[in-house]
Amino acid sequence: MAEPASVGAQERWAPLAWLREALALLEGGAFFFVVDPAGRPSPEGKEALGHILGDRPLVEVRLSPERSLDLHELKERLAPDRRSVVLLDAVDLEWADLEVTLEGPLAERIQGARRVLQDLNLKREALARLGAPVVFWVTPAGLRAFSLWAADLFSAHSGVFEVAPAPSPVEVELLTKSIEPEPWAEADRLRNLPEAEVRGRIRLYERQLEKEARKRTPHRPRLAVLHMGLALLHWHLGDHLRALEHQQKAVNLYRQLAARNPQAYRRDLAGSLTILGAVLFAMGRREEALAATQEAVGLYRELAVQNPQDYRPALARSLTDLGNILLVLDRDPEALAATQEAVGLYRELAAQNPQAYRPALAGSLTTLGLRLSALGRWKEALAATQEAVGLYRELAAQNPQDYRPDLSHSLGAHGTMLLALGRPTEAVEAFGEGLRAIAPFVRDLPQAFGDLAAYLLQGYLRASQEAGREPDEGLVGPVREVLGRQGEGQEGKGSAG
């Protein structure tokens, strides 16, 4: 069967590649879950799955709140040599995840989905005895429903594979224009996985690494990918030393590959160096992090000269990383230069594609303001933060949930610049707007947004004092109350320890 055609399709279905490895390692019956936010298996998804299975027969079964699994019918459809793989479309069972107290057809559908899941749970052993791997195709809500209403079956699974959401038409256009991978994309996908699932993936990757290394001629690109995957998995579990070990091995392999074939592997080397720099920086090994990040910047700079359309975004991101490391090393002028170059790149990118790059431009402008203020260049810093605030206001108007925290952060930086320039009345307005924007977030997630709220509150009170104005207790009081409760909770944890 042919490979999925577009770059977007390849990236969307890339996680299924690990299903191929799992099927190769496991014999007989096993349960897998493919989590697809788009819902029912599309023709492209079936094509990707068929490519992974090769010549193994795929037996499709669809369940619904009105249709439970017929084991006898399924058994009749399986190939006699037990090479079949069952694709069980369970998307409609996501109804079981709903909590509704209404009566009528909706409530009946919810109860029906739960009954089908409970029936599946009772049939799990018989399903496993069929000797065929079963791939449950579910939505994220469906996965939760399985964990609640078919808990025993779910706990017996051998792997969960999350595919990316289907790209919008705009994203498809971007994917066809840019082939630069996000080094931390896999890390983002790991955030919602339970620890047991992450450890299961580690065992799978390690077996594949050992299997590949034993070959007479190991496939070095595959070894590099496995090492980088293990680095991210160990980092997710907090095992930083093991993460560093695997990431360094990935860099070494990509360095060898790039030396022989620069055209094919320089971007992979640059991406692996980016992750290595981040790992080293987080571990406090800042000089080593600087060296890795500088090398990544150099590689991306070369790639961007040859292909600006594809590699300017990666160059801008790596320059931002470089500026952050230089700042911590007290090399403020160099940090400023790196950030200014990143802002220039993001400005060009946002002019060409505002939808994709305005958020990055706004963030880089906030950072630029902070860099300039560190050098005492307050008026230039004010201009940068003012532009950032304007961009974030527009973004937050379109998408409050995603951009109000960023708006609050930029308003805090802007208020700080205004205070430094002796404009406390304007600073009160900036800090106050930031507090109003962040208040609902800190109320719901105080641990995530408490520090930002405390910074804004402190700035607001100081600016009010300098402006000779009474603070607005209706604004200040609720934030103080949430921060006070958070502080009491942390003191309790400390005394308990």
Side-chain angles (χ1 to χ4, degrees):
M1 189 170 288
E3 290 274 10
S6 69
V7 176
Q10 289 174 352
E11 293 183 356
R12 174 159 155 68
W13 305 112
L16 293 184
W18 299 110
L19 177 58
R20 185 207 313 265
E21 313 304 338
L23 290 170
L25 290 167
L26 296 169
E27 296 182 1
F31 302 147
F32 302 96
F33 287 86
V34 173
V35 186
D36 185 359
R40 182 151 291 110
S42 64
E44 294 82 6
K46 292 180 184 178
E47 182 180 350
L49 188 57
H51 179 78
I52 286 166
L53 299 179
D55 60 352
R56 296 185 69 167
L58 185 65
V59 177
E60 297 183 43
V61 178
R62 182 174 172 181
L63 300 182
S64 72
E66 299 79 29
R67 178 185 172 86
S68 60
L69 178 64
D70 187 329
L71 275 173
H72 178 73
E73 178 187 347
L74 175 59
K75 187 174 182 180
E76 292 294 319
R77 296 175 59 192
L78 296 179
D81 59 2
R82 292 197 168 193
R83 297 188 66 254
S84 300
V85 175
V86 178
L87 172 60
L88 211 157
D89 177 354
V91 168
D92 287 339
L93 301 185
E94 68 180 356
W95 283 87
D97 190 52
L98 295 179
E99 290 291 344
V100 178
T101 57
L102 300 175
E103 297 181 358
L106 186 60
E108 291 173 8
R109 193 162 176 79
I110 293 169
Q111 292 301 326
R114 292 177 178 178
R115 283 193 294 269
V116 171
L117 284 169
Q118 290 169 333
D119 179 66
L120 264 178
N121 199 48
L122 293 173
K123 293 174 177 174
R124 65 189 181 280
E125 293 182 2
L127 188 57
R129 285 197 297 271
L130 293 178
V134 180
V135 178
F136 294 93
W137 198 286
V138 297
T139 63
L143 189 70
R144 287 192 299 271
F146 265 88
S147 69
L148 291 171
W149 300 99
D152 296 321
L153 184 152
F154 180 75
S155 64
H157 72 76
S158 299
V160 177
F161 306 92
E162 297 180 272
V163 300
S168 67
V170 173
E171 291 170 326
V172 169
E173 181 183 356
L174 289 174
L175 286 167
T176 58
K177 290 181 178 178
S178 175
I179 57 172
E180 171 54 32
E182 281 282 359
W184 292 104
E186 178 65 19
D188 289 338
R189 285 193 287 269
L190 293 175
R191 288 178 184 170
N192 297 322
L193 288 181
E195 181 179 333
E197 177 64 29
V198 176
R199 293 193 183 279
R201 289 192 182 192
I202 287 176
R203 290 191 294 272
L204 175 63
Y205 286 23
E206 286 175 342
R207 287 197 297 268
Q208 281 301 109
L209 190 63
E210 183 182 356
K211 181 180 175 181
E212 189 67 41
R214 284 201 307 265
K215 292 180 180 178
R216 179 173 297 179
T217 307
H219 189 248
R220 283 187 295 173
R222 174 148 183 70
L223 289 174
V225 168
L226 287 165
H227 278 300
M228 196 145 66
L230 283 164
L232 294 173
L233 289 163
H234 282 295
W235 185 265
H236 179 77
L237 293 178
D239 190 346
H240 297 166
L241 285 175
R242 190 70 61 85
L244 177 60
E245 175 189 0
H246 281 291
Q247 191 57 36
Q248 187 63 68
K249 288 178 178 178
V251 168
N252 293 343
L253 284 162
Y254 279 129
R255 198 183 297 285
Q256 295 168 13
L257 291 163
R260 293 189 176 187
N261 191 342
Q263 194 68 24
Y265 292 106
R266 268 193 308 174
R267 76 161 192 175
D268 296 309
L269 175 58
S272 64
L273 283 163
T274 298
I275 296 179
L276 179 62
V279 171
L280 289 165
F281 182 74
M283 294 176 69
R285 297 166 64 167
R286 293 165 181 169
E287 292 290 348
E288 294 169 87
L290 176 63
T293 307
Q294 284 175 324
E295 187 178 356
V297 167
L299 288 166
Y300 280 131
R301 201 183 295 283
E302 294 172 6
L303 289 163
V305 168
Q306 297 173 4
N307 191 337
Q309 191 70 25
D310 287 347
Y311 291 106
R312 277 189 305 170
L315 175 58
R317 288 192 296 270
S318 62
L319 283 164
T320 301
D321 294 339
L322 179 61
N324 292 336
I325 296 171
L326 288 166
L327 183 72
V328 173
L329 291 171
D330 295 323
R331 294 165 63 169
D332 293 351
E334 294 169 86
L336 174 61
T339 305
Q340 285 174 322
E341 187 178 355
V343 168
L345 288 166
Y346 280 129
R347 199 181 294 284
E348 294 172 5
L349 290 163
Q352 296 171 5
N353 192 331
Q355 189 75 18
Y357 292 108
R358 270 194 312 167
L361 173 59
S364 66
L365 283 163
T366 302
T367 303
L368 176 61
L370 297 172
R371 299 285 185 270
L372 288 163
S373 68
L375 294 169
R377 294 163 62 172
W378 295 103
K379 289 184 178 179
E380 295 170 85
L382 181 67
T385 57
Q386 190 165 10
E387 185 179 357
V389 166
L391 287 167
Y392 275 131
R393 279 193 183 122
E394 295 173 5
L395 291 164
Q398 298 168 6
N399 190 338
Q401 192 66 27
D402 284 349
Y403 291 111
R404 275 188 181 173
D406 293 317
L407 172 60
S408 297
H409 181 256
S410 66
L411 283 162
H414 190 53
T416 300
M417 309 310 162
L418 288 164
L419 269 180
L421 289 168
R423 295 160 63 175
T425 302
E426 295 168 84
V428 170
E429 298 302 321
F431 285 119
E433 184 182 352
L435 275 174
R436 280 187 289 275
I438 203 64
F441 293 87
V442 74
R443 183 183 61 240
D444 295 338
L445 294 168
Q447 290 185 326
F449 297 104
D451 289 345
L452 175 56
Y455 165 66
L456 290 164
L457 178 61
Q458 184 181 15
Y460 176 77
L461 295 174
R462 179 185 164 194
S464 298
Q465 184 180 17
E466 291 189 17
R469 290 172 52 171
E470 286 294 320
D472 181 354
E473 281 302 320
L475 174 63
V476 170
V479 175
R480 271 182 169 157
E481 183 180 349
V482 172
L483 294 176
R485 287 200 302 268
Q486 184 191 14
E488 290 171 6
Q490 290 179 347
E491 285 178 13
K493 287 181 183 178
S495 61

